[in-house]
Amino acid sequence: MNKYLLLLTLLPLSLLANLNIAVSYPYIGAITKSIGGKNVNPVVLAKGNWDPHFIIPRPSLIAKVRNADGLIINGGQLEIGWLPPLIRRAGNPKTNVNTKTFLNLSRYIELINKPSSVDRANGDVHPDGNPHFHLDPNNILILANVIKLYLSSINPDDTNIYEKNYIEFSQMWKKKISIWNEKMLTKRGLKVIQFHDNLAFFNKAYGLTSIATIEPLPGIPPSSRYIISLIKLIKKENPAYILHDVYHSTKSAKYISSKTGIPIILMPHDIGALDNIEDLISLFDYLTGAIK
Amino acid sequence: MKKINKILLSSALCASFAYGDVATLLPAEKRTFDQSQYVPDISAILDFSFVNNSVKNDEIGHLELPGIAHGLLGEHTDGDTTHATYNAKQGFNLNYVEMILSSNVDPFLSMDAVFHFSQHGVEIEEAYFTSTALGNGLRARGGKILSNFGYLNAQHHHYWDFGDMPLVYEAFLGTHGINELGAQLQWTAPTPFYLMAGFEVLQGENEMMFGNATIGDVEDPIVKGVDAPSLMVGYVKTSFDIGDTTIFGGVSYAQGSSMVDHSTDEEGPHVFSGDSKLYGADLVVLHSFNSYSSIKWQSEWLSREMDGTQYNLDVNATVPVLALNKKQSGLYSQLIYTHNQNWKMGLRYDTIYQNDIEKSAGDDSFAPTDLNKYSGMVEYHTSEFARFRLQYNHNDAMYGEEDDNGVQHKQSVDTIMLQANIAIGAHSAHSF
């Protein structure tokens, strides 16, 4: 009799044993894996080497959302162009917005550069502020804590595991942060150019000043007249580098570089953005090491 | 004990999640019944075009696909209502202003409504509620819907890669495709790849191919109608990825009663009553080079069988009632290359290659099968929200009316279209 009871109690446990958590971007998958441990299986929807704003809503992603036990998104309208139809198609109440198993990370970070007025005449602006907050390594700790609480709330039985993993992760991460801080100390005040302002949080964390973007407005490709005005600005302001994302064409940047002599540095925004960026540590090792 | 733990945990969770939520009194002017937070997502899409046809407005409406469809091109006035395909007239066309409202209703439902405002009035393009909480991959929908038959049918006009509908779709189903009142149930299978099956029960009022209403005087009808709903649609779709290539395919089937009313036609007025079946197969292959550049090959095959009775209403008709069986098939295949966020270009080939018509009394019907159309287009996007498209069509499928010897001659139509498609409001995300 007792044997059967034991089996009965084991059954739901074994079903819970593997939590499949769909996550929009690779960096969320990495944090989720670090906190969740071996019984949590993050399913990453977007590839790390592509523009996070423009992910093709492949039907295979519907299958991934449909089979998930929860969904963690970056938020801040970064996924607005591709994720909502996938959620609607999947028919999975666990991935619906405003449910216990749905987590929007942007709610736990104070977004910077929130526009005071929102008008598409100013390009495809993010009305809630800059959503690329994970590129400040200090924010990774906040997100890890939020994901710990989230996992504990949907699977309370493993709360101790998540707590233990979180402590280990945060201790390791804090050590890394101080190393990165030291590497970047001499870079404070450096002026840079970007393609799109996706390094806003990184620049803020390390005191870099982004003086302009190669796209004149968010989502609007540059015209040649704008490029000429940018070259003038660069000659006047003398920024040190063009920090370029990996997904936009570097054609305009190369032209600007040839005219002004300032070097281009490719800055990966997520895991998988470049071949050697395999985890969160290598992402920030690379970012903090790229600026010489 | 466990319960208390749970409560403690959840309250801790709430406290830590609701950052910045400090108990402060709102200023007096903010203590209102303001409901603006509940405004649904609103967007408006304008579709405006300039058209130049090689055939004049007056003549283009008389061209037909013999044995398949007539009155496809141009604008037609029928009593008080004006029917027109997209880009129907020479010169400027305001195809529509599409207004979309959408929002969650409650934890169990969402609602969407899509209106087409045109110079001829307002049409409800779609208006439906959708379940959000059924689970197990199930999704139910009710209202006026674009059927998920095939690939193109469920997409709105502004999402198509060309300004006009593929020939076979427009010839069989009309510009709006299968756009009906009804109920839809779809199930996404718990498989690692995408597999979806759906079933729809629809009113069946499509006037090109289906229909169930009594035709003629109610007291003395030409044909008596059948009970609605009278159209059933089923489909299975699947998709998988190979590296950066996505393959998406599906098969569809629709079956329903047909009441096709041509009783008011000037020439050879007739009515068809019977049963129709429509088969569809679609294949889309999309290869992405990077976030902004891709190549997409999209093809659909449609085949229909209409079986029933034709009533010839012309007083001079030699055979007033005859049995009629039509088997017709066609396809389109298009290749779209997206160069970057600004430029996109594509080619399309359309054909109807099967046109078998069997009549009980003397097989004299003219049913050509050399019906082809060729299209090319180039698009420029100023941003994600505005698109300008230059399209050229060489339509080599249309025939003119019978000449004095009773012979129909082919009349090809060349069309140049410049189309603007402009969107404002909520960010509309499209499914694959």
Side-chain angles (χ1 to χ4, degrees), chain B residues 10-308:
Chain B
S10 57
S11 54
L13 211 62
C14 287
S16 54
F17 275 24
Y19 95 89
D21 193 11
V22 191
T24 48
L25 269 179
L26 282 171
E29 69 273 15
K30 282 196 175 171
R31 297 178 208 163
T32 64
F33 287 118
D34 183 16
Q35 300 235 50
S36 61
Q37 299 281 328
Y38 286 110
V39 170
D41 287 348
I42 303 175
S43 51
I45 298 166
L46 168 73
D47 198 87
F48 184 66
S49 67
F50 181 83
V51 175
N52 196 332
N53 279 317
S54 62
V55 178
K56 288 200 179 85
N57 272 351
D58 299 342
E59 291 163 30
I60 204 161
H62 295 288
L63 299 182
E64 63 172 14
L65 296 165
I68 303 167
H70 49 249
L72 274 188
L73 305 176
E75 198 175 67
H76 310 271
T77 308
D78 173 17
D80 293 337
T81 51
T82 302
H83 304 279
T85 180
Y86 298 118
N87 313 302
K89 290 180 294 182
Q90 297 272 33
F92 291 108
N93 289 265
L94 177 64
N95 288 323
Y96 52 80
V97 177
E98 179 175 299
M99 188 157 103
I100 307 164
L101 301 178
S102 87
S103 176
N104 280 330
V105 176
D106 60 19
F108 316 104
L109 296 169
S110 66
M111 188 187 124
D112 297 78
V114 183
F115 305 98
H116 269 194
F117 292 79
S118 75
Q119 285 165 302
H120 309 301
V122 184
E123 256 181 80
I124 298 174
E125 182 83 356
E126 287 194 281
Y128 53 79
F129 57 89
T130 309
S131 71
T132 58
L134 285 183
N136 301 309
L138 284 168
R139 193 185 78 171
R141 185 172 271 189
K144 186 171 184 191
I145 56 174
L146 282 166
S147 168
N148 225 162
F149 182 99
Y151 181 72
L152 187 98
N153 195 83
Q155 295 175 349
H156 288 143
H157 171 254
H158 57 85
Y159 192 58
W160 300 347
D161 288 312
F162 291 87
D164 54 344
M165 206 178 204
L167 183 68
V168 66
Y169 257 104
E170 190 158 19
F172 287 3
L173 297 164
T175 312
H176 295 277
I178 304 178
N179 182 206
E180 297 269 357
L181 309 184
Q184 178 189 69
L185 185 69
Q186 295 189 340
W187 178 65
T188 307
T191 42
F193 58 93
Y194 178 69
L195 179 65
M196 188 271 274
F199 182 70
E200 296 166 6
V201 180
L202 305 172
Q203 191 74 358
E205 291 173 330
N206 181 295
E207 46 189 44
M208 299 287 284
M209 185 170 162
F210 297 105
N212 47 41
T214 295
I215 299 175
D217 189 13
V218 187
E219 299 290 316
D220 181 25
I222 304 164
V223 216
K224 263 191 104 96
V226 296
D227 285 341
S230 62
L231 177 59
M232 310 288 156
V233 178
Y235 38 81
V236 178
K237 296 165 198 287
T238 187
S239 175
F240 53 92
D241 300 333
I242 302 171
D244 288 333
T245 306
T246 295
I247 295 160
F248 181 89
V251 286
S252 308
Y253 176 66
Q255 184 182 342
S257 74
S258 285
M259 293 283 171
V260 184
D261 184 359
H262 288 294
S263 60
T264 56
D265 282 16
E266 277 170 39
E267 244 172 273
H270 63 274
V271 164
F272 173 81
S273 151
D275 291 297
S276 295
K277 292 168 185 160
L278 180 66
Y279 305 86
D282 52 272
L283 179 68
V284 178
V285 181
L286 174 83
H287 178 75
S288 316
F289 302 109
N290 57 47
S291 292
Y292 318 107
S293 181
S294 62
I295 191 156
K296 185 183 190 184
W297 180 46
Q298 173 184 333
S299 306
E300 281 189 79
W301 170 81
L302 258 63
S303 180
R304 72 172 176 183
E305 182 176 359
M306 299 178 78
D307 194 41

Side-chain angles (χ1 to χ4, degrees), chain A residues 168-242:
Chain A
E168 271 173 29
F169 177 81
S170 59
Q171 279 170 352
M172 176 277 292
W173 196 255
K174 278 173 190 160
K175 275 182 206 151
K176 288 285 175 189
I177 285 179
S178 56
I179 296 170
W180 295 325
N181 281 343
E182 208 157 308
K183 270 164 84 179
M184 291 296 291
L185 204 58
T186 54
K187 314 294 184 302
R188 288 209 160 265
L190 219 58
K191 286 180 189 168
V192 295
I193 302 274
Q194 296 178 82
F195 190 94
H196 174 82
D197 194 13
N198 68 336
L199 290 170
F201 276 90
F202 180 82
N203 293 340
K204 186 175 163 249
Y206 296 113
L208 305 179
T209 311
S210 176
I211 59 164
T213 55
I214 294 176
E215 55 173 16
L217 294 165
I220 309 288
S223 63
S224 45
R225 203 195 313 165
Y226 176 78
I227 295 286
I228 291 165
S229 73
L230 198 59
I231 289 169
K232 271 187 197 151
L233 180 83
I234 290 171
K235 283 180 174 160
K236 202 176 119 211
E237 297 272 337
N238 278 319
Y241 300 104
I242 297 173

